[in-house]
Every structure is written in C-alpha cells, then in structure tokens.
C-alpha cells in the first residue's frame, strides 16, 4: 500500500470579468504530489502546471497567494493530459490519497467530470485527511489548523515556499510521516470523499470508528424520501448493534441538520445526527453519525428539541396570521 500525498492549486472567476460556470467553480491549474511507501519513505514526486481555459484570467487573490502569473500558466499542459499523467504516475497498485483538508479530492473529480474523464471510482473514496489526523494526533481532535501551524508545531524545517502544489504536498507528506511514526493509530480515522455518492443500497457506506458510527446513503429524489427511508431513520447502538427506540424522534433546529436521542440499556445514551447533502447530480444523499454521549449531553438535546418545537409552533402561528 502506497500513499499519494496530493495538493492542488486552482483558479476561479475573477469577480465579474469572467462569468462563473456553476459546474466548475474552481479550475485546477497545478497538481503536486509525493508518493510514500507504507513506512513513510518517499518514492517520488509529481508536479505539473495546467493551462486554464475556463478562467484564463488569474484571480487576484490566487495570483498573490501562489505567485503564479498567466504567462507562466500559458506554457502548462491541458488538464486532460496532466490528469492522465498524474494517475499513471500514481501507479496501478493499491494506494490511498492523502490531502491537507477535504477539498482537493472533490475538486479533482469535479474537473475530471467536466473534461469527461473516467471517474476515479464508482462511489465514495476513502482517503486520509492529514489536517484532521494532525488534530487527532497532537491537539484536541476538533479544531483545524493551517499547514504552516502544523509544520511549526512539529518543529519541521521550512525550506521551501508555501502555497505551491508540490511544496504544500511535500510539507503535508512530512507531517503525515511524523503522524505515521508517532501516532499511527489515528490513521484508522479515514475520511470519505462523496463527490460520487453510493450507487445503490448495497454499496452504501457503514463504518465504525472508536467513538462513533458513520453511514453514507445512496441518492434520493427528495428530503421527504430520504428521511422516510428505514435505514436513514433507524437508531442503532454501534457497539452491540441493537435497534433502539428513540427517546426523542428526529427533529431539526434549522432545516439542514436533524438530531435524535436514543438509549441503549447496556451502553447509555446515543445521539444521532443527519446531514442532508446535495450531490453533483442535484439529488440528495444522507450522512448520518451516531455516537455515545453523557447524561448531560442528552439533557442538552432535550432542550434543543423543546426549543425547536416552540420555534416551529411560532412559525405555524405566524403563517396562519398572514
């Protein structure tokens, strides 16, 4: 198993002078990557500039950050050629993508779709978010810090400029190697890129971590259809796999995220959280997490549920009075 530590730079509409294309808000202009073996030993590097065609005028912020001018990019390859060379360089064997944050893999696949290239996969892709892993390994596991912060924290040498694809991939690889050597257990916390949601019920994602369970659904035509699905609406204890009766049924304080409270006689209270996401196809899919919580946290959910009910009641009254 190899690791492909990847970083991308992209351009976007230059605020009015170029109209944004909804299906491609970010156009990749540089790919950088470092290939590591299972022990963190560097096997090679990849770097390629890409000539933009959708947004040929450099956005002023992008240009200032990555110190690239339009004239330099005009000498770059087409995205199709660069992407094909990159994937050939990745190799035919097993490898896992590693990125700083969660955006790069999504934008790579979005650009590939725009140019009608063969998808990387037929559904979600498991990858390692090194930014998240750094937080889990060395900080509180919740906050997300900058790449330079992590380099400084680990007292690694800053010998190349930041904000270029190969440079940032190299720094990310150094951080990843440090995690691999000092806290290898956190690598079990894989992330999933869901640019392509599960194709059907059989390929839905159900994965258990140390402190929670994650479920990623297939696509649905509407929110009502999704929330009416038996698997989506269910509450299970991820430790003993028992189906649980809810203490508080699914409710939403904002119309986007839904919560419920259930109790396992053996393990205690569990909080369910549903996030409704829109796929690139325009249809909806569900990301549901279930985790054990304390009695105090359960009380907070009861309070939120009561507040949500009261707010919904006020909205109905206001609607009737119009």
């Amino acid at each position: 198993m190899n690791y492909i530590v990847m970083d991308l730079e992209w351009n976007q509409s230059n605020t009015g002078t170029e109209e944004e294309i909804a299906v491609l808000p970010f156009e990749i202009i540089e790919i950088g990557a470092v290939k590591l073996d299972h022990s963190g030993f560097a096997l090679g590097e990849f770097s390629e500039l890409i000539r933009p065609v959708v947004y040929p005028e450099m956005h002023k912020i992008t240009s200032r950050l990555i110190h690239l001018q339009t004239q330099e990019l005009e000498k770059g390859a087409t995205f199709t050629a660069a992407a094909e060379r990159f994937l050939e360089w990745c190799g035919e064997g097993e490898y896992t993508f590693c990125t700083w944050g969660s955006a790069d893999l999504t934008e790579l696949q979005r650009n590939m779709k725009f140019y009608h290239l063969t998808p990387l996969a037929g559904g979600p892709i498991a990858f390692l978010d090194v930014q998240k892993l750094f937080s889990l390994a060395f900080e509180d596991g919740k906050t997300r810090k900058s790449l330079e912060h992590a380099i400084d924290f680990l007292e690694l040498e800053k010998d190349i400029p930041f904000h270029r694809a190969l440079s940032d991939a190299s720094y990310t690889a150094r951080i990843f190697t440090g995690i691999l050597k000092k806290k290898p257990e956190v690598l079990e916390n894989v992330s999933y890129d869901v640019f392509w949601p599960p194709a059907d019920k059989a390929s839905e994602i159900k994965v258990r971590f140390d402190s929670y369970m994650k479920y990623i659904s297939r696509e649905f035509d509407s929110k009502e259809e999704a929330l009416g699905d038996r698997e989506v609406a269910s509450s299970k204890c991820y430790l003993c796999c028992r189906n649980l009766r809810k203490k508080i049924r699914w409710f939403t304080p904002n119309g986007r995220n839904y919560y419920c409270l259930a109790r396992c006689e053996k393990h205690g209270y569990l909080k369910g959280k549903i996030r409704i996401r829109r796929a690139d196809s325009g249809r909806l899919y569900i990301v549901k997490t279930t985790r054990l919580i304390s009695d105090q946290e359960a009380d907070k959910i009861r309070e939120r549920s009561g507040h949500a009910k009261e707010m919904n009641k006020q909205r109905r009254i206001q609607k009737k009075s119009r």
Side-chain angles (χ1 to χ4, degrees), residues 272-285:
K273 179 179 179 180
I274 285 176
R275 286 170 289 173
I276 299 175
R277 299 283 180 81
R278 189 169 296 279
D280 196 64
S281 65
R283 302 178 75 205
L284 305 176
Y285 67 94

Side-chain angles (χ1 to χ4, degrees), residues 118-302:
T118 303
L120 294 176
I125 298 176
F127 73 102
L128 295 173
D129 179 346
V130 183
Q131 186 182 44
K132 180 177 78 172
L133 298 181
F134 169 79
S135 184
L136 289 168
F138 303 114
E139 298 192 324
D140 62 4
K142 297 178 181 178
T143 56
R144 301 291 182 260
K145 301 292 182 60
S146 70
L147 184 63
E148 189 168 5
H149 168 88
I151 290 291
D152 290 337
F153 182 94
L154 296 175
E155 299 180 342
L156 300 174
E157 186 179 5
K158 293 192 288 189
D159 54 350
I160 48 179
F162 286 88
H163 306 302
R164 289 294 299 270
L166 181 56
S167 299
D168 286 1
S170 298
Y171 280 129
T172 303
R174 296 178 195 181
I175 296 166
F176 179 77
T177 301
I179 295 170
L180 193 61
K181 292 178 178 178
K182 296 177 182 179
K183 296 277 189 173
E185 64 274 11
V186 303
L187 268 63
E188 295 178 2
N189 294 277
V190 298
S191 298
Y192 286 89
D193 181 272
V194 196
F195 181 78
W196 298 104
D200 50 39
K201 191 172 181 63
S203 56
E204 291 180 331
I205 302 294
K206 298 175 185 177
V207 58
R208 173 182 161 182
F209 299 99
D210 285 342
S211 60
Y212 70 100
M213 182 86 178
K214 175 173 279 189
Y215 161 71
I216 303 173
S217 78
R218 64 197 185 281
E219 292 179 78
F220 297 95
D221 289 326
S222 67
K223 181 167 66 174
E224 291 73 22
E225 181 188 2
L227 296 175
D229 181 79
R230 188 172 183 178
E231 183 65 42
V232 171
S234 68
S235 294
K236 296 179 182 178
C237 177
Y238 59 90
L239 296 176
C240 62
C241 299
R242 295 178 182 176
N243 287 310
L244 306 176
R245 293 188 64 181
K246 296 179 183 64
K247 297 294 183 180
I248 296 177
R249 295 182 179 275
W250 292 105
F251 71 94
T252 178
N254 53 24
R256 296 186 302 275
N257 298 328
Y258 289 75
Y259 302 88
C260 78
L261 179 67
R263 183 173 177 82
C264 173
E265 293 182 2
K266 185 176 181 180
H267 297 105
Y269 285 110
L270 292 98
K271 179 180 78 171
K273 179 179 179 180
I274 285 176
R275 286 170 289 173
I276 299 175
R277 299 283 180 81
R278 189 169 296 279
D280 196 64
S281 65
R283 302 178 75 205
L284 305 176
Y285 67 94
I286 297 296
V287 178
K288 180 173 71 172
T289 55
T290 307
R291 65 177 70 244
L292 284 171
I293 60 172
S294 66
D295 291 355
Q296 291 77 15
E297 290 172 304
D299 288 338
K300 290 181 180 178
I301 292 179
R302 291 188 182 95

Side-chain angles (χ1 to χ4, degrees), residues 4-9 28 30-34 45-49 86 89 98 104 164-170:
I4 305 297
V5 186
M6 174 182 69
D7 187 84
L8 306 174
E9 301 295 341
I28 295 172
E30 189 175 25
I31 300 174
V34 176
E45 295 180 346
F46 180 92
S47 178
E48 188 139 11
L49 286 177
F86 171 59
W89 174 84
C98 307
D104 289 70
R164 289 294 299 270
L166 181 56
S167 299
D168 286 1
S170 298

Side-chain angles (χ1 to χ4, degrees), residues 75-144:
K75 302 174 184 177
T78 65
F79 174 79
T80 297
E84 288 176 346
R85 282 194 286 269
F86 171 59
L87 294 176
E88 183 179 356
W89 174 84
C90 289
E92 296 182 356
E94 270 194 76
Y95 58 84
T96 298
F97 283 113
C98 307
T99 61
W100 188 261
S102 60
D104 289 70
L105 200 48
T106 293
E107 296 310 323
L108 176 61
Q109 294 188 92
R110 195 188 309 280
N111 277 249
M112 290 177 68
K113 180 183 179 184
F114 183 81
Y115 286 101
H116 308 291
L117 298 180
T118 303
L120 294 176
I125 298 176
F127 73 102
L128 295 173
D129 179 346
V130 183
Q131 186 182 44
K132 180 177 78 172
L133 298 181
F134 169 79
S135 184
L136 289 168
F138 303 114
E139 298 192 324
D140 62 4
K142 297 178 181 178
T143 56
R144 301 291 182 260

